[in-house]
Amino acid sequence: MVSPTELRASDALDVLRRVFGYDAFRGFQQEVIDHVVAGGDALVLMPTGGGKSLCYQVPALVRDGVAVVVSPLIALMQDQVDALTAVGVRAGFLNSTQDYAARRAVEQAFVAGELDLLYLAPEALGTRGVQQLLDRGRIGLFAIDEAHCVSQWGHDFRPDYLALSMLHERWPAVPRIALTATATSATRAEIATRLQLTEAKHFVASFDRPNIQYRIVPKKEPRKQLLALLRDEHPGDAGIVYCLSRASVDKTAEFLVANGIAALPYHAGLDAGTRAANQQRFLREDGLVMVATIAFGMGIDKPDVRFVAHLDLPKSVEGYYQETGRAGRDGLPSTAWLAYGLQDVVQQRKMIETSDGDLAHRRNLATHLDAMLALCETVRCRRVQLLEYFGQSGTADCGNCDTCLTPPETWDGTVAAQKLLSTVYRLDRERNQRFGAGHCVDILLGKQNDKISQYGHDALSTFGIGTELREAEWRGVVRQLLAEGLLAVEGDYGTLALTEASAEVLGRRRTVTMRREPEKVASTRSAKPRGAATVVAELSPTAGSLFERLRAWRAATAKEQGVPAYVIFHDATLRQIATDAPTSLAELSRISGVGENKLAKYGESILAVLADQP
Ligand code: ADP
Ligand code: ZN
């Protein structure tokens, strides 16, 4: 164990190497750390996996006093503290889950200056007891994690965050660092104002996550498509599957389990005990799939989530980016996969139309949805479009998204659009009727069914004029018109209606370019190796079997200590160990992720695992 006094005497780079076992800072970590160590305020925007934690953990060790970390993630504080303890850092937390004795112990350690970091929930900071406690100790800095929670327009608003502006008033001399992975400039400005961080230096990283492969596929039989993805590309991998509703979370989890995939459900309808237990298992065990609503995931810093799959359309690009960002924090190849179809657009538009709140609120929702739809329908590089949305322009096509890997064909859909819109127009004007997408497509295809004959729709002039397209293609036409606002859905039944812009297409003043619906969803498997299975495949046979043995050792050790496997070592570190096969502690210590404390604790066992040739 590195002694605390030794730590304090060392500078930032030394702390990084000796305590965390890393060679060099990443991105602008060094700049942030220097700024905060010198007493400056900072607002740090970095994508998930960018390395935000070190931006306050290193200053916590270099500066005098205790770093107080404000975090909304009560359920994860224990893991965060365990991870720090594992590298020999003195950390504790105070939150509502503790009993009196545990609380007292942490309070005493804080007052005695025996902590490097103290994690607190924002609501705790609002209490007099905690404020008085903080006055009795010495605070080195405040770190405000997940700082976007202060934004009222954001997706994770926490009212308790608003009170954090008082930190500055009460402890004006203590530097503050606010960190978030939510990126738009509007959110950034809001964070600075609400936290009174107007003087803070802003550090804004690129929001690119190059190791994540973005793919958006047409939704057909979503559960089967998902199963194929998991079986073909991610066997044995940990991942998250997002669904819109609780019911679909339950069904999807059951479906996966029935098909031999280790999956767990998570949504707000489950009791707190089950939720906590499932989250714990996901974090601690290797290779589990969490099927969840978006209630799950904030602050989950499991580094080896290999895929994030969406079975329903996210409501905004911000949400999509946050959720997909939970994949691949360790920098290894990962997949962000979304299945998207006509029904998603109909459903989301309907939800907005019937949502509570005033017109401005509904417009705001619609604007966010439109940006998400534009991302789904784009024929450009997904990553370029995503980065532009976050204000980062001028990047080159990525070569690691579905549109780059399998460039979609486009076609002139103007005539098809006119046929569809004029069907809607005729139903409305000639018959005073409105119908959903399915029926309109049946009319165009000239189908003879009960509903058609009941309403006499075979007499419409557009009946049977659309046989040049398959049904799936017509659904694609409807979807793209909805996405572009050239068509609207209304009412409880999701019936189609014209918009003002429809007239431009009907009047031949506007052409419509469409993305072709693939006959079969193109597989991008040839692209880049992915997943634990492929991570192993990339290693030589010897290294591969060493990696498996190391993983088994890690699983046993983690279980014995009651901590998540990644707290022991990350996959990336185990891989490096398997590849280099060090034969001495000195060699082992040079591997990234092996700091002094872990070397002392696990070094011998690792060498034994490596030496134990079967
Ligand atoms: P964030 O909080 O920004 O999502 P983390 O702080 O969890 O990201 O860091 C993501 C991963 O990158 C972690 O596994 C962390 O240990 C690793 N990491 C961060 N900085 C470095 C560095 N300088 N060198 C090597 N690994 C790093
Ligand atoms: Zn691309």
Side-chain angles (χ1 to χ4, degrees):
M1 167 99 52
V2 186
S3 92
T5 41
E6 272 177 83
L7 281 182
R8 298 210 168 263
S10 25
D11 71 351
L13 190 60
D14 201 34
V15 166
L16 180 78
R17 292 192 171 143
R18 294 173 54 195
V19 179
F20 296 95
Y22 298 136
D23 295 337
F25 285 111
R26 270 192 195 156
F28 50 54
Q29 279 175 333
Q30 172 99 61
E31 284 92 319
V32 177
I33 290 166
D34 288 348
H35 182 74
V36 174
V37 166
D41 291 340
L43 177 52
V44 175
L45 285 89
M46 246 189 215
T48 308
K52 284 185 288 300
S53 322
L54 288 182
C55 291
Y56 61 84
Q57 288 169 351
V58 172
L61 296 174
V62 177
R63 275 183 69 87
D64 279 338
V66 184
V68 174
V69 185
V70 184
S71 163
L73 310 163
I74 294 178
L76 300 171
M77 284 182 183
Q78 184 67 57
D79 287 351
Q80 285 170 324
V81 165
D82 285 346
L84 286 167
T85 310
V87 294
V89 173
R90 304 167 308 167
F93 64 84
L94 291 176
N95 69 33
S96 50
T97 65
Q98 274 164 316
D99 61 25
Y100 179 74
R103 210 183 156 83
R104 281 285 295 166
V106 174
E107 288 177 359
Q108 280 168 357
F110 170 77
V111 174
E114 287 162 4
L115 286 182
D116 299 309
L117 289 104
L118 174 65
Y119 285 81
L120 285 181
E123 53 273 22
L125 261 176
T127 65
R128 277 201 36 195
V130 169
Q131 292 180 5
Q132 285 167 351
L133 171 76
L134 293 186
D135 281 334
R136 288 166 57 211
R138 177 137 188 239
I139 306 170
L141 72 110
F142 283 110
I144 303 161
D145 207 4
E146 312 286 351
H148 63 280
C149 289
V150 78
S151 158
Q152 274 169 317
W153 278 113
H155 41 95
D156 290 323
F157 176 57
R158 303 285 169 110
D160 288 311
Y161 263 67
L162 293 175
L164 295 181
S165 60
M166 66 86 177
L167 295 181
H168 182 51
E169 288 145 25
R170 201 175 164 116
W171 293 282
V174 180
R176 292 167 301 151
I177 171 173
L179 310 102
T180 177
T182 291
T184 55
S185 54
T187 318
R188 195 168 118 199
E190 201 182 347
I191 294 172
T193 318
R194 290 194 191 278
L195 293 179
Q196 289 199 26
L197 275 169
T198 36
E199 308 274 292
K201 185 162 177 189
H202 290 209
F203 297 88
V204 183
S206 162
F207 272 75
D208 191 12
R209 300 285 311 280
N211 61 312
I212 298 182
Q213 182 177 88
Y214 295 101
R215 282 149 62 185
I216 302 180
V217 306
K219 193 191 271 193
K220 291 181 179 157
E221 295 172 283
R223 288 190 192 119
K224 279 195 190 157
Q225 288 171 279
L226 173 70
L227 186 63
L229 173 82
L230 302 196
R231 283 191 173 153
D232 296 349
E233 298 180 40
H234 291 287
D237 282 346
I240 307 174
V241 177
Y242 282 112
C243 305
L244 198 59
S245 72
R246 298 171 186 185
S248 105
V249 165
D250 289 333
K251 274 199 209 122
T252 306
E254 279 166 26
F255 170 82
L256 291 179
V257 169
N259 283 282
I261 307 256
L264 300 168
Y266 188 105
H267 56 69
L270 297 170
D271 64 87
T274 309
R275 278 207 309 272
N278 287 357
Q279 172 168 311
Q280 286 282 59
R281 282 194 59 196
F282 178 70
L283 293 176
R284 277 169 169 64
E285 294 174 29
D286 277 331
L288 286 183
V289 175
M290 184 66 105
V291 186
T293 59
I294 54 168
F296 177 76
M298 189 178 39
I300 293 290
D301 55 3
K302 186 176 168 61
D304 56 355
V305 174
R306 290 272 69 83
F307 64 89
V308 170
H310 281 92
L311 287 186
D312 297 297
L313 185 70
K315 293 185 176 61
S316 66
V317 177
E318 284 89 342
Y320 172 75
Y321 179 79
Q322 282 277 327
E323 286 140 29
T324 54
R326 290 167 189 149
R329 292 170 88 106
D330 55 10
L332 298 176
S334 309
T335 311
W337 180 91
L338 160 65
Y340 150 78
L342 172 58
Q343 206 45 44
D344 286 298
V345 196
V346 172
Q347 191 177 21
Q348 297 263 4
R349 290 258 194 251
K350 223 165 68 187
M351 272 165 54
I352 292 174
E353 204 195 329
T354 57
S355 84
D356 302 332
D358 55 10
L359 184 64
H361 179 65
R362 289 204 298 276
R363 284 222 176 106
N364 186 32
L365 293 175
T367 309
H368 279 99
L369 178 61
D370 287 343
M372 188 63 221
L373 293 174
L375 180 66
C376 292
E377 300 292 356
T378 190
V379 292
R380 304 164 65 206
C381 169
R382 306 263 191 215
R383 191 179 316 269
V384 165
Q385 180 131 341
L386 203 52
L387 292 176
E388 276 179 7
Y389 182 78
F390 291 118
Q392 198 178 327
S393 55
T395 46
D397 286 2
C398 74
N400 190 27
C401 73
D402 55 352
T403 48
C404 282
L405 292 165
T406 321
E409 287 173 31
T410 57
W411 58 292
D412 182 349
T414 312
V415 172
Q418 285 164 349
K419 288 179 179 176
L420 189 108
L421 293 176
S422 87
T423 303
V424 176
Y425 176 85
R426 275 166 218 290
L427 285 172
D428 190 6
R429 295 299 147 84
E430 294 172 12
R431 308 281 182 103
N432 203 13
Q433 294 167 341
R434 288 189 175 179
F435 287 88
H439 188 66
C440 294
V441 170
D442 283 350
I443 292 173
L444 287 164
L445 290 173
K447 286 209 178 146
Q448 292 292 354
N449 61 32
D450 289 350
K451 203 164 169 187
I452 298 271
S453 45
Q454 183 194 341
Y455 289 99
H457 285 166
D458 43 5
L460 285 172
S461 58
T462 57
F463 184 77
I465 62 166
T467 50
E468 73 278 17
L469 297 183
R470 291 173 291 128
E471 183 168 340
E473 290 169 322
W474 275 116
R475 292 180 71 82
V477 170
V478 178
R479 198 190 68 223
Q480 297 184 58
L481 291 174
L482 285 172
E484 283 193 55
L486 295 171
L487 190 63
V489 283
E490 293 188 336
D492 286 345
Y493 299 103
T495 53
L496 298 180
L498 298 186
T499 66
E500 274 175 35
S502 309
E504 294 173 26
V505 180
L506 283 169
R508 299 193 175 80
R509 294 190 303 280
R510 175 164 172 177
T511 59
V512 190
T513 303
M514 294 198 177
R515 196 182 161 103
R516 191 173 296 289
E517 296 302 299
E519 287 277 340
K520 233 184 99 209
V521 182
S523 164
T524 50
R525 282 183 61 197
S526 57
K528 280 199 178 173
R530 279 177 298 272
T534 38
V535 165
V536 179
E538 264 177 279
L539 299 170
S540 71
T542 332
S545 83
L546 279 183
F547 180 71
E548 287 307 338
R549 294 223 310 270
L550 289 164
R551 257 164 62 112
W553 165 82
R554 180 181 67 178
T557 312
K559 194 156 186 195
E560 202 178 283
Q561 300 184 3
V563 296
Y566 61 81
V567 165
I568 311 283
F569 283 117
H570 288 180
D571 276 0
T573 303
L574 287 195
R575 265 178 71 182
Q576 198 60 47
I577 297 176
T579 314
D580 294 4
T583 53
S584 68
L585 288 177
E587 278 173 37
L588 181 60
S589 76
R590 284 196 281 276
I591 287 171
S592 180
V594 184
E596 288 182 1
N597 204 56
K598 288 190 179 174
L599 185 72
K601 213 158 156 187
Y602 307 123
E604 297 292 354
S605 327
I606 294 228
L607 294 179
V609 172
L610 294 175
D612 179 25
Q613 295 299 342

